[in-house]
Amino acid sequence: ESVKTVLMSPENRILIKRMLIKCADISNPCRPIEQCIEWAGRISEEYFAQTDEEKRQGLPVVMPVFDRNTCSIPKSQISFIDYFITDMFDAWDAFADLPNLMQHLDSNFKYWKGLDERKLRSLRPPPE
């Protein structure tokens, strides 16, 4: 009933649509683990290339954490999840009940945390 009340206002519907677009844009940590790892790698490579180009041109480096020689991808993912994702998707879960999405988020956070605890900086652990 409260959802219907929220959706009755045109302003609320516009706000919800904008929020959904933002969530879709940054939802990688809520995907199944293999997709999450693949896209974390693609995003990291995009940021590494930007940092490389800024250095090459002598420009200020906008994201120094994405220096390919020093970056820890697990740390970057943990920070991203902590800073942007958890609260936003907790709110969506309370609004729309998204257990699968929240399970992926929890599993992915644990995956990145496990790599970080092993002091690994890569997308995957080394083959055993």
Side-chain angles (χ1 to χ4, degrees), residues 56-70:
R56 189 184 71 70
Q57 291 188 26
L59 298 170
V61 175
V62 176
M63 295 183 292
V65 72
F66 281 99
D67 181 319
R68 71 175 68 247
N69 300 312
T70 58

Side-chain angles (χ1 to χ4, degrees), residues 17-78:
K17 289 174 185 178
R18 288 180 178 163
M19 291 169 64
L20 282 171
I21 290 168
K22 183 63 177 174
C23 285
D25 182 42
I26 64 171
S27 67
N28 187 54
C30 300
R31 296 177 183 192
I33 188 66
E34 287 304 316
Q35 289 176 318
C36 178
I37 293 168
E38 174 68 25
W39 282 99
R42 290 178 185 207
I43 292 164
S44 296
E45 185 54 42
E46 180 182 327
Y47 292 162
F48 292 155
Q50 177 180 330
T51 299
D52 292 345
E53 185 65 15
E54 289 165 348
K55 287 180 175 183
R56 189 184 71 70
Q57 291 188 26
L59 298 170
V61 175
V62 176
M63 295 183 292
V65 72
F66 281 99
D67 181 319
R68 71 175 68 247
N69 300 312
T70 58
C71 181
S72 166
I73 294 174
K75 281 188 188 309
S76 72
Q77 292 300 299
I78 291 165

